[in-house]
Amino acid sequence: MTAEPVRKVSDVLERFSSTFSAFSAAFNEGQYVLWLGSGISRERVPNVHALLIRIVEHLRSNIVEGKIACEYRVALDDVLRLASLRPEELERIDFSIAVEDWPLRDRIISALVTNYSQVLDVLVGDDNPDDYLVWTGLDVPNTYGSPDLKPDVEHYCIAVLMLEGLVPSAVTANWDGLLENALNELTPAFGSLVRVAVKPDDFRIVGPRLEVIKFHGCAVRAREGDDGYRHLLVARQSQISRWTELPENRSMRKHLEVLYTDRLTLMIGLSAQDANLHTVFAGAIQDLARPWPASPPSVVLSEERLESHHRNLLKITYGSNHPGNAGAIAQSALLGSYGKPTLLALILSSLTEKLSFLVEHEVESIWGSAVVRQLQTDLLGLRDLAASQADPEDSEALEYTENLEFQREFVARLIDLVNLALTVFRTGRMPTPSSGHYEPLSDRPAAQAVLNADFPSKQFGRLGVALALIGRGLTAGQWSVVPGNSRATGEGVIRLIGSQRSARVYFVKDSVSLTQLGLEGSFDDREGDVLIVVADEEPPPQTRSPKSRFGRDGKTSAGRFSVASNITDTASVEDLYEAFKLAGGF
C-alpha cells in the first residue's frame, strides 16, 4: 500500500522513525548521493510552462509581417505542430496578439510541456545557431546564469547537509548556480572545499571533499563568456539522445555510473525522464545489480506520488528482481513528501542523530545503555519542538507564498542558531551578526568524526547531554525555549522561560572558551538571569560552607553548570536534571 503524502516536517520525521528508519540511518552514515532536478529551484527560476510561453512569444513577436518564409513564423509553425492542434485550429490563431491572450494558450502550452526537448530543438532559420531557442529564447544568461538569483530553502538545506559531511556528492541536472551560491554563502572555504564538475577536466581537481556534478551544463560558467561551457547546456532532444555516445561525455557518464553503482540514491526534484539518464542508470546496474529485498532502499524518491518515469527508473534499477516485487519496491522508494519538508526533516534528524551518537559515546560507559536511551529520547523532544516551528499552525489556510516565506524564515533562523550555538561553544566568541555562515557540528558522519583526534567528541557528547536535559524540562512543562540569534548578542544561545523566572543560556566547551565569552562582554557574572553550561569539569569553588559545588548559593550571580562534574557527582539522569534546574534557579 502506497503511503499517503505528507507535507509537514514533523510528519516526515515520523516517517523517518517508522517506515523509512533504515533510510534515515543510512543517510546519517553518509551513504546516499543526492540527485537533483528543477523541482528544487522552481520558486527561483521559471518553470517549464512559463519558459515555453516565453519561447512561443519570442517567436511570435519576431515575425516580420509580409516576409515570405519568415524564419520565426516557420519555427513557430514547427513548434505549434508539436501541440497536436487540428489544421483548422492552427488557422484560427491570431499571431498579431500576445500568446498570453490566445484562446488556446493553456491547451497549447500543456501539450508542449511533454515535448519540451523537441521544442528546444526547433531551428530558427539558417543564420541562427542550433541552440538559438535555448540560449536566446530562454535567455539562459539572465534566467539561469544571473548572479542575482537567491538560493531557496532546498539549496540552503542541501548545503548544510553537505557541510555536515552527510552528502559528499550532489548530482544535478540544473543549469543554475543556486546550490553553489548557498554553499558559498555558508562557508568562506567554498573555493577549497567544493569541486564543481561540469567539464571532464573538472574531475582532475584534487583536494575538495565535496562535489557538485552538473551533468547538463552550467549557465553561470556559460554566461561568463566561455563558449566551451555554452555547448554543454543540454536540453534539446538531439543532445539528450546522443549524450551518452559522445566521446566528450564519456568521463561524465563514467562518474555518474560509478556513483549510481556504488552509492545509494536520493532523488529530489528530478523527474528522471530524460533518456540519457536512463541509459546511465542501466549501464550502472549492468556493473552491479541492485538486490531485492533491500534495506536500506537503493533508491528513495522525494515525491508525493510515482509517475511513469519513476516506475521505469525502478524497473531499470532492480532489473530481474522487479517483476513480482513491483509494488513492494515502489513502496520502499516513495517517501511521500516533496523537497522542502524532506530536506528540513533531514537537517533536524541528522543533527539530532549526531548528538545522540556522541551522547552514547560519552555516557554509556559511565551510566549504561538504559540511561543513554533516556537522554536520546529527551533530545528527540527538543528536535520535535524545532520541527513544530518549521510549518505554520494554519498552513492549510494560508496561501502557498505565505507558507513558503515562513519556511524561508525558519531555515534562516535555524542556520543562524546552529552557527551561534556551535561558534560560542567552540570558541567563546559570538559570530558576526547576520554573517550567514554555518558552523557544522562535524564535517563528516559522527561515527567517523570521533576517530579524529582533534574532534572534541567528549565535549560535544556533554553538549548533547545538556540539550537532552533542556528537552526533558520542555517535555515536563518546566520551561519553554526561545532560540537566540546572532544579532542579539546579550540574549544567550537560548532562553529558558519558566513560570517564575527565565534564564539566558550559553554553552561552552571548556574554561578557555568561557573566559573568552566573558571578555567578549556577552554576559556579566553578576547577572542572575544567566546560566553558563560548561562541558568540561571545573574545579570546585573555594568555600567554607558545605553547599553544593555547583548551583545557586543565594547570591545574585550567573549560574554555572559543569556537565562533566555533575555526571561524576550524580547517580542518575533524574539527579542530573535536578542539579541542572538548581544551577539555573528553576
Side-chain angles (χ1 to χ4, degrees), residues 63 192 425 450 502 543 552 561-562 566:
I63 293 173
S192 60
F425 183 77
V450 296
S502 67
T543 177
R552 298 283 178 175
F561 182 81
S562 163
N566 276 283

Side-chain angles (χ1 to χ4, degrees), residues 16 20-36 157-169 263-268 296-297 300 335 342-351 353-354 444-446 448:
F16 286 171
F20 279 82
S21 59
F23 157 74
S24 178
F27 184 89
N28 288 320
E29 293 171 356
Q31 295 189 37
Y32 278 86
V33 170
L34 293 189
W35 293 70
L36 309 168
C157 288
I158 294 166
V160 166
L161 293 169
M162 294 184 78
L163 294 175
E164 288 286 349
L166 302 175
V167 180
S169 298
R263 303 282 297 283
L264 305 176
T265 292
L266 171 60
M267 287 193 177
I268 301 178
V300 173
L335 183 56
T342 295
L343 290 164
L344 287 168
L346 283 172
I347 288 181
L348 295 177
S349 171
S350 63
L351 291 174
E353 289 303 312
K354 279 190 175 185
R444 62 201 69 197
Q448 299 174 26

Side-chain angles (χ1 to χ4, degrees), residues 96-132:
S96 68
I97 63 175
V99 174
E100 284 286 349
D101 298 324
W102 286 4
L104 293 176
R105 183 202 63 187
D106 290 342
R107 181 179 156 196
I108 291 171
I109 300 302
S110 296
L112 294 179
V113 165
T114 58
N115 297 302
Y116 78 95
S117 62
Q118 293 173 269
V119 172
L120 295 174
D121 231 350
V122 168
L123 299 178
V124 184
D126 293 333
D127 295 332
N128 289 314
D130 290 355
D131 68 347
Y132 177 82

Side-chain angles (χ1 to χ4, degrees), residues 35-48 51 116 144 154-155 171-176 178 216 268-273 303 340:
W35 293 70
L36 309 168
S38 60
I40 70 168
S41 301
R42 58 181 297 183
E43 278 86 30
R44 295 306 192 192
V45 295
N47 59 26
V48 175
L51 291 173
Y116 78 95
Y144 295 96
E154 293 93 333
H155 309 101
V171 182
T172 179
N174 295 349
W175 295 338
D176 63 65
L178 289 167
H216 274 179
I268 301 178
L270 180 65
S271 63
Q273 61 183 329
E303 301 283 348
K340 284 184 176 64

Side-chain angles (χ1 to χ4, degrees), residues 259-467:
L259 284 175
Y260 200 76
T261 300
D262 295 350
R263 303 282 297 283
L264 305 176
T265 292
L266 171 60
M267 287 193 177
I268 301 178
L270 180 65
S271 63
Q273 61 183 329
D274 290 338
N276 62 333
L277 263 186
H278 286 196
T279 303
V280 166
F281 297 150
I285 297 307
Q286 286 179 3
D287 294 333
L288 184 63
R290 288 295 184 182
W292 183 262
S295 183
S298 302
V299 177
V300 173
L301 303 167
S302 182
E303 301 283 348
E304 289 191 353
R305 59 188 58 83
L306 293 184
E307 304 294 345
S308 59
H309 40 268
H310 297 132
R311 297 184 188 278
N312 192 39
L313 167 68
L314 296 177
K315 287 180 184 178
I316 293 172
T317 302
Y318 287 97
S320 61
N321 291 316
H322 190 267
N325 298 304
I329 288 173
Q331 188 173 351
S332 76
L334 182 61
L335 183 56
S337 65
Y338 287 134
K340 284 184 176 64
T342 295
L343 290 164
L344 287 168
L346 283 172
I347 288 181
L348 295 177
S349 171
S350 63
L351 291 174
T352 305
E353 289 303 312
K354 279 190 175 185
L355 288 169
S356 293
F357 180 91
L358 295 168
V359 165
E360 180 178 4
H361 191 261
E362 170 63 10
V363 173
E364 186 172 34
S365 61
I366 302 172
W367 277 345
S369 58
V371 170
V372 168
R373 287 193 294 272
Q374 285 182 314
L375 292 169
Q376 290 172 335
T377 299
D378 294 331
L379 275 175
L380 291 177
L382 202 56
R383 181 206 69 180
D384 291 344
L385 168 67
S388 71
Q389 305 300 310
D391 297 289
E393 292 182 8
D394 55 349
S395 58
E396 294 183 0
L398 298 177
E399 295 290 336
Y400 175 77
T401 54
E402 293 176 299
N403 281 296
L404 177 58
E405 285 305 315
F406 187 96
Q407 289 179 318
R408 287 172 177 166
E409 291 174 6
F410 174 80
V411 169
R413 292 198 310 271
L414 179 63
I415 289 173
D416 183 73
L417 175 61
V418 175
N419 185 56
L420 169 66
L422 295 179
T423 301
V424 169
F425 183 77
R426 282 189 169 105
T427 67
R429 297 179 182 274
M430 300 295 292
T432 303
S434 304
S435 68
H437 290 163
Y438 179 81
E439 179 78 16
L441 180 57
S442 63
D443 63 2
R444 62 201 69 197
Q448 299 174 26
V450 296
L451 301 178
N452 184 348
D454 294 326
F455 181 72
S457 58
K458 287 185 174 295
Q459 287 96 335
F460 273 127
R462 294 163 190 160
L463 172 63
V465 170
L467 292 173

